[in-house]
Amino acid sequence: MKKLLKSIIKLILLAIFLICVMTGIDYYRMMHGEVPVFNQSFYNSKTRTQTYKGIIYVATREYFSSTREPLNESDNLRFYVFSFPLPLPKLEKKVDNSFKIETEEKNNCSDGAVLYYADLDKKVYLYCMSDIKIIENGKKDTLFNYLSKDNSIIDKTLNHMDLLGIYNDQTTLMFQASKDSFTNLGLTIYQCNSYNVNDIYIGPLTMGFHDDFCVYKDDDFKFIYTISDETPDGINEVVDENGNVIPEVFYEDEVYRYEFKVPKSTYVFIKTPEVRGKAETKTPLLTALSSGMVTIEEVEKKGLQFDKIDKAKELEELQKAQEENNSGEIS
């Protein structure tokens, strides 16, 4: 019995020791600007507060743009052990000189905000800007290309800017960066955060909040639709009596004829997912093309594989072949 009791006491002491070690590690990490690891994390999107709940401690921070941002980009860091607060130093915001933004502003801003990029997570609008370039570690590329690879570039940009206030019934954050080493002309960003609206509006330093900002817009179809090829197995090429393949002509314009090698146009669809309060859609390719919902150039960029036949060139080659055939018969 005494051995069992000693074993239990040892296990309890070991557990207490491990809990203290884990708590000490997480406290040390937060003191040096790193996120604690031995905990469960929760966040409140309305108050923009993230809570780290350990076994005997609770830590909190108020984040500016994202829960993925480092601690030194957040505010009001707190660490409590059994409700007793432990001091945390004020973390200095790190300056990243390897990250810069170059903007190209428009002279005429009458067009309003233009949808620049969209995915299933967020939409990005440009106001009074023709384009944005990102310079990172000496390499320059468009914001669009960065977003296409990873939309966390928005969070990284916001981490370099100052939070000026909360607008639009406490659902929109305004960020701003003056003309300095980070940006060539200055920058203003509004980050929306309401039901089915998590848009980003990017504009010049002088950009104010407009009535059409942070309101629901059903305008992202061209960005989010995909091509679904549901051709079943066993669909074979069609051949004539001479064994020549007869392709399926699924679309045609004045210059080109567009063909599939096998008859599959009825199995190809234009699809959009369920996102931002909209239901999933599925439209036959031929319907989408004939109605103008999509263009043949757009579906080609989206990855649809087909043969593109130049009709004038084809006719020219046929005429040339016929002339050669006729001349051969005469001789």
Side-chain angles (χ1 to χ4, degrees), residues 53-286:
K53 191 172 183 181
I55 298 175
I56 62 172
Y57 80 85
V58 174
T60 61
R61 66 152 167 180
E62 294 178 9
Y63 59 91
F64 285 153
S65 60
S66 168
T67 56
R68 293 178 291 182
E69 70 188 23
L71 289 187
N72 60 358
E73 302 292 348
S74 303
D75 201 4
N76 291 331
L77 272 62
R78 299 287 186 269
F79 196 100
Y80 300 90
V81 176
F82 294 122
S83 300
F84 293 100
L86 298 182
L88 287 173
K90 183 175 177 59
L91 301 175
E92 294 295 328
K93 187 174 181 179
K94 295 180 180 179
V95 178
D96 185 3
N97 292 323
S98 64
F99 183 79
K100 298 180 181 180
I101 285 183
E102 286 185 1
T103 57
E104 301 172 12
E105 298 181 359
K106 294 180 179 179
N107 294 325
N108 186 350
C109 305
S110 59
D111 294 339
V114 177
L115 182 60
Y116 178 74
Y117 172 85
D119 57 26
L120 303 187
D121 179 43
K122 65 183 63 178
K123 296 193 292 183
V124 178
Y125 292 84
L126 296 189
Y127 175 81
C128 205
M129 284 187 174
S130 54
D131 207 351
I132 297 179
K133 300 288 196 311
I134 304 293
I135 304 172
E136 190 171 23
N137 298 321
K139 297 181 179 179
K140 181 188 291 190
D141 204 349
T142 63
L143 174 61
F144 185 91
N145 288 338
Y146 268 86
L147 288 167
S148 300
K149 298 172 186 175
D150 183 4
N151 67 24
S152 66
I153 189 66
I154 294 296
D155 294 334
K156 186 169 186 176
T157 301
L158 294 177
N159 288 339
H160 284 75
M161 303 176 69
D162 296 322
L163 176 64
L164 294 193
I166 305 176
Y167 298 84
N168 199 28
D169 296 329
Q170 305 296 308
T171 64
T172 303
L173 297 180
M174 178 185 180
F175 295 85
Q176 205 164 61
S178 301
K179 180 180 178 181
D180 54 16
S181 59
F182 162 59
T183 175
N184 61 326
L185 298 175
L187 201 65
T188 297
I189 295 181
Y190 290 99
Q191 184 183 46
C192 315
N193 184 31
S194 59
Y195 184 67
N196 287 328
V197 180
N198 55 348
D199 307 339
I200 301 292
Y201 288 82
I202 305 176
L205 187 63
T206 57
M207 180 180 72
F209 190 84
H210 294 250
D211 292 339
D212 64 334
F213 286 11
C214 296
V215 295
Y216 182 82
K217 302 184 186 81
D218 186 5
D219 57 358
D220 55 359
F221 169 78
K222 291 294 178 75
F223 291 90
I224 65 172
Y225 82 81
T226 57
I227 297 171
S228 177
D229 188 342
E230 302 176 12
T231 306
D233 296 336
I235 299 295
N236 299 317
E237 297 175 340
V238 177
V239 296
D240 61 17
E241 62 228 13
N242 298 318
N244 299 315
V245 175
I246 305 175
E248 179 192 21
V249 179
F250 70 94
Y251 191 70
E252 193 169 359
D253 56 32
E254 294 180 356
V255 180
Y256 297 103
R257 187 173 68 250
Y258 305 92
E259 302 174 345
F260 289 135
K261 286 185 171 59
V262 298
K264 67 174 190 176
S265 62
T266 56
Y267 303 109
V268 181
F269 300 91
I270 302 298
K271 296 179 68 174
T272 62
E274 181 181 355
V275 64
R276 288 184 275 273
K278 295 180 292 187
E280 178 182 321
T281 66
K282 183 177 180 180
T283 307
L285 172 66
L286 300 184

